[in-house]
Amino acid sequence: MDFLATVIMALFKKTPHAKNENNVHAKRDWKKRQSPFSFSKTVLCLTLAFLFLPLLVIIFYSFNSSKGAEFTGVSLRWYEELFTQSGGLWMSLLYSAIVAVVSAFISTIIGSMAAIGNSWYKFFGRNYIQTISFLPMVLPEVIMGVSLLIFLTGFGMNMGLTSIIIAHTTFCLPFVYLMVSARVDEFDYSIIEASHDLGANEAQTLYLVIIPAIFPGIMSGFMMSITLSIEDFVITSLVNGNVITLPIFVLNQVRRGVSPVINSFSFILILAICGLAIIARKSLKGFAASH
């Protein structure tokens, strides 16, 4: 195991970068001369307002005591209804979570292995495979959904949870492949040569050297896949059968008018996502510090 420890230490060893003092001082002086108002800062503020003001409106109306657009008073009745009378909403969230985790897990494994194999091995049709792998990213979702529906029904598969997982795995694969490929392109090949010189075979090099090095790219692809899967509506609506995922449930509710229960549910999701982001950030910081 000594060669593994040597390789891992070499992998995560930090190399000092020399800093040009003149550039550092010039950057500080330029920042001091900057005006507090600029076009770029204005565009940034407007963009942030455009992104986050709708969320603030949703949070505000989740505490409204009435269903109308007029704010009549602060009330928690919609949160009570969310946790006591919204079984269908929570069931749709459960279906979306199952589909997202399973499809993200499968697409991450396949996409990561494809990125490694296509980047480091030469074989017939390599460039062709690399090109067509991005088609699901550029094709309209309705075309993807119809083609998957025809393909799955051609095999006699009943539409349901399995068909949704297959469809989500298909359109999440290119995103995982792209993110892992970007990480693989920056990989230091000398580490692989060092592992081989120390006696590691292909499997040991893959699982103990390559995967830890590209792990940030793998996790990015996994999280991106979960996000894309949870928010997808077009493809899911074509292959879902009788399974009601969260986007489909929300659309069915909105057709009857925007329910304040959806607003309260959205606020709960925002809090949960922010909490997960903070935990993930601290965990990654701890991982980076330990290595």
Side-chain angles (χ1 to χ4, degrees):
M1 297 299 291
D2 292 337
F3 77 93
L4 296 178
T6 305
V7 171
I8 294 174
M9 290 178 64
L11 177 64
F12 292 104
K13 184 178 179 181
K14 297 181 179 179
T15 57
H17 297 280
K19 294 184 178 180
N20 191 325
E21 293 295 334
N22 293 331
N23 291 338
V24 172
H25 291 303
K27 185 177 181 180
R28 290 175 181 173
D29 294 338
W30 179 77
K31 286 184 175 181
K32 291 179 180 179
R33 293 196 301 267
Q34 271 190 310
S35 172
F37 301 100
S38 64
F39 177 76
S40 59
K41 290 181 180 179
T42 303
V43 172
L44 174 62
C45 293
L46 292 176
T47 303
L48 293 176
F50 178 78
L51 292 174
F52 291 104
L53 277 180
L55 299 180
L56 297 178
V57 172
I58 289 177
I59 295 172
F60 178 76
Y61 278 102
S62 68
F63 295 99
N64 190 10
S65 59
S66 64
K67 288 186 176 181
E70 182 181 356
F71 191 83
T72 58
V74 178
S75 175
L76 297 177
R77 59 175 293 197
W78 307 117
Y79 289 91
E80 180 181 357
E81 183 175 338
L82 172 65
F83 290 104
T84 58
Q85 305 177 25
S86 302
L89 178 59
W90 293 108
M91 185 58 65
S92 67
L93 177 63
L94 176 61
Y95 283 136
S96 291
I98 293 173
V99 171
V101 173
V102 175
S103 61
F105 182 76
I106 297 174
S107 61
T108 299
I109 293 177
I110 299 176
S112 299
M113 295 297 102
I116 294 173
N118 202 46
S119 297
W120 287 341
Y121 298 99
K122 295 182 179 180
F123 51 89
F124 177 77
R126 174 188 176 190
N127 295 331
Y128 176 75
I129 293 175
Q130 188 173 8
T131 302
I132 65 173
S133 62
F134 296 105
L135 280 179
M137 298 177 62
V138 298
L139 286 176
E141 287 191 356
V142 65
I143 296 178
M144 281 287 300
V146 171
S147 61
L148 286 169
L149 176 61
I150 297 173
F151 178 78
L152 295 176
T153 54
F155 284 94
M157 178 178 291
N158 295 325
M159 297 298 102
L161 201 62
T162 303
S163 62
I164 300 176
I165 292 174
I166 294 174
H168 284 210
T169 301
T170 302
F171 73 76
C172 286
L173 265 173
F175 296 93
V176 178
Y177 176 82
L178 180 63
M179 292 185 175
V180 177
S181 295
R183 189 73 180 182
V184 170
D185 291 339
E186 299 176 355
F187 192 81
D188 187 2
Y189 287 85
S190 62
I191 299 176
I192 298 179
E193 296 176 357
S195 67
H196 290 163
D197 291 341
L198 293 171
N201 55 31
E202 289 288 337
Q204 290 174 324
T205 303
L206 175 64
Y207 293 111
L208 299 175
V209 178
I210 298 175
I211 291 181
I214 64 175
F215 188 72
I218 295 175
M219 282 302 301
S220 299
F222 180 76
M223 298 304 296
M224 176 64 74
S225 299
I226 289 181
T227 303
L228 293 172
S229 176
I230 290 179
E231 63 88 25
D232 180 76
F233 170 77
V234 176
I235 297 177
T236 306
S237 63
L238 292 170
V239 299
N240 69 318
N242 294 323
V243 177
I244 304 299
T245 58
L246 182 60
I248 296 176
F249 183 90
V250 171
L251 179 65
N252 293 336
Q253 293 294 315
V254 169
R255 285 174 178 172
R256 307 171 190 171
V258 180
S259 173
V261 175
I262 301 299
N263 296 336
S264 59
F265 178 73
S266 300
F267 185 37
I268 296 297
L269 281 184
I270 291 171
L271 293 178
I273 292 172
C274 290
L276 289 175
I278 293 173
I279 294 173
R281 186 171 182 268
K282 290 184 178 181
S283 300
L284 290 175
K285 276 188 173 181
F287 178 81
S290 61
H291 294 84

